Amino acid sequence: MRKIRYKKGRKASVSNLEYTGVYTGKATEMQLFVYNEQKVKEIQNISVAEFNEAKDLSLNNWLNIHGLNNVDLIKTLSENLQLNTIIVSDILNISRGTRLDELDDTLFFSIKSILPNENDDETILIEQISFLLKDNLIVSFQEKRGDFFTYIRERLRENTGIVRKKKVDYLLYLMLDSIIENFYITIENKENDIESLLLASKIADSPVIMEDIERLREVFHLLKRAIVPLRDALFTIKTIKEDDEFNCIEPSNYIFFGRLHQKAIELLEQIDYDMKTLDSATNFFYTAQNHKMNEVMKTLTVISSVFLPLTFIVGLYGMNFKNMPELHYKYGYFITLGVMLILVLLMLYYFKKKKWF
């Protein structure tokens, strides 16, 4: 059975900043959006120095970073933003799980994004994406270039919806919603495999079907481990409104994070349902195997029952006594064969009437 390809990164200390992921060959690139309801400015492949000049904290700013391999650039950027070293370490250390925290007026949110691998149906791709909210600035860190936020960029460019009317915390909501949609895509992709396995488990003879079931079960366990902490973090945002603990999120936007929390609950419920379906597939397989074994045992029992009286007759007349009745009878052999045939037919008729085979 092939394992889920989930490569965990190296562990690193807070004092030793280094990228611990597997996408070490990805170049680090930065993209900046500066926008409000009236205008938007987009700058591709921006440097840290250019970012310092181009950002406008009187407007909304979104800095998106692809690739974390250039640690020096990340460190320089963090110094410019006056980020806590703990936050920078968690951005680069992908072995950490989902985390939500606010340090020095900076909201930090780290999440695992999961997608099916288009090149290999048996694996899924896992990427850590981190977000920083500070003043009117949101910074997103992706391990590699992807199309998670393509439609969000289009909405900013075309001024579609309310994204340019809202602050950057609403942009965080949109990006989290996009990542959660990837979970739906992954689950839907794997549910097609479940449906096939459920049908195959009813007719399959090979134990290979159990390997496929266990492989899928491992995928759903992985999905569940990624969603549960996300659900808890979203619940924290959803229920913190009265305390105003997170200064970076406007009270009017808490309702959007409540929607994400509900989506996370729906995902977990769907995963539980799918895992129960896998249990049903397992039960189908073992039930089918037991049924086939029972049929084999039934056939062998019928054969043994038919030959039992025949063996008795043959054994009886095979004894070497001189004065056995019918021993010297002219038609004794043929009568014995006839009696044995009649016994076989009567027994088969009786078994058939009882529906024993």
Side-chain angles (χ1 to χ4, degrees), residues 8 30 36 70 90-91 106 130 132 159 168 190 223 249 267 269 273 280-281 283 304 312 318 328 339 341 357:
K8 294 184 177 180
M30 300 196 302
N36 62 8
N70 192 339
D90 287 340
I91 292 172
T106 300
S130 301
L132 293 174
N159 196 14
V168 291
K190 295 304 176 182
L223 288 170
I249 299 178
L267 284 171
E269 290 175 349
Y273 174 80
S280 298
N283 294 334
S304 300
F312 172 76
H328 300 288
V339 170
L341 178 60
F357 71 92

Side-chain angles (χ1 to χ4, degrees), residues 332-346:
Y333 173 72
F334 300 102
I335 293 174
T336 302
L337 288 180
V339 170
M340 294 169 68
L341 178 60
I342 291 172
L343 278 174
V344 169
L345 294 176
L346 288 175

Side-chain angles (χ1 to χ4, degrees), residues 199-215:
L199 295 175
S201 64
K202 300 177 183 179
I203 57 176
D205 295 323
S206 173
V208 173
I209 190 70
M210 289 304 302
E211 296 181 3
D212 295 334
I213 290 174
E214 290 304 313
R215 174 181 57 81

Side-chain angles (χ1 to χ4, degrees), residues 34-257:
V34 181
Y35 66 92
N36 62 8
E37 187 176 357
Q38 287 75 34
K39 60 181 181 179
V40 61
K41 179 173 66 173
E42 177 181 357
I43 307 176
Q44 298 285 347
N45 298 324
I46 191 172
S47 67
V48 175
E50 292 170 337
F51 163 70
N52 289 331
E53 294 180 2
K55 69 179 179 180
D56 185 352
L57 296 183
S58 65
L59 305 177
N60 296 316
N61 300 261
W62 173 27
L63 179 64
N64 187 54
I65 300 174
H66 294 111
L68 303 179
N69 195 36
N70 192 339
V71 178
D72 291 334
L73 185 148
I74 303 297
K75 290 171 65 176
T76 302
L77 178 64
S78 65
E79 291 172 359
N80 277 266
L81 297 177
Q82 299 179 343
L83 298 180
N84 189 297
T85 307
I86 296 177
I87 292 179
V88 182
S89 176
D90 287 340
I91 292 172
L92 296 172
N93 184 7
I94 62 94
S95 62
R96 296 290 299 272
T98 297
R99 181 184 171 190
L100 172 66
D101 203 354
E102 190 172 42
L103 296 173
D104 302 330
D105 295 327
T106 300
L107 180 66
F108 175 67
F109 204 149
S110 180
I111 182 177
K112 299 293 184 184
S113 177
I114 295 179
L115 267 178
N117 190 346
E118 296 179 355
N119 300 321
D120 188 350
D121 293 337
E122 295 190 4
T123 62
I124 57 178
L125 301 177
I126 301 177
E127 176 187 355
Q128 177 169 292
I129 301 179
S130 301
F131 303 97
L132 293 174
L133 264 75
K134 185 174 184 178
D135 300 325
N136 286 330
L137 170 68
I138 181 169
V139 185
S140 54
F141 298 86
Q142 298 179 244
E143 290 190 75
K144 60 183 181 64
R145 179 173 290 277
D147 57 356
F148 296 121
F149 310 135
T150 300
Y151 86 98
I152 298 177
R153 295 186 182 94
E154 291 302 320
R155 291 177 69 173
L156 285 172
R157 293 169 184 145
E158 302 297 330
N159 196 14
T160 305
I162 61 173
V163 59
R164 281 171 51 176
K165 299 177 183 178
K166 290 284 190 176
K167 297 294 185 181
V168 291
D169 55 340
Y170 181 79
L171 189 60
L172 172 63
Y173 154 72
L174 289 179
M175 289 191 282
L176 291 176
D177 185 58
S178 178
I179 293 173
I180 289 177
E181 287 299 319
N182 293 330
F183 284 96
Y184 280 106
I185 294 172
T186 304
I187 292 175
E188 183 178 356
N189 179 273
K190 295 304 176 182
E191 282 179 342
N192 295 332
D193 296 337
I194 290 179
E195 188 174 341
S196 300
L197 284 177
L198 191 60
L199 295 175
S201 64
K202 300 177 183 179
I203 57 176
D205 295 323
S206 173
V208 173
I209 190 70
M210 289 304 302
E211 296 181 3
D212 295 334
I213 290 174
E214 290 304 313
R215 174 181 57 81
L216 266 183
R217 201 190 307 275
E218 186 177 353
V219 171
F220 282 103
H221 276 302
L222 180 61
L223 288 170
K224 193 169 185 177
R225 290 199 304 270
I227 296 173
V228 167
L230 173 60
R231 176 204 61 187
D232 295 341
L234 292 171
F235 179 77
T236 301
I237 297 178
K238 173 187 174 182
T239 57
I240 211 70
K241 179 178 179 180
E242 294 180 357
D243 298 333
D244 292 330
E245 180 174 333
F246 298 124
N247 299 320
C248 297
I249 299 178
E250 292 187 336
S252 60
N253 289 333
Y254 280 102
I255 186 174
F256 297 112
F257 292 94

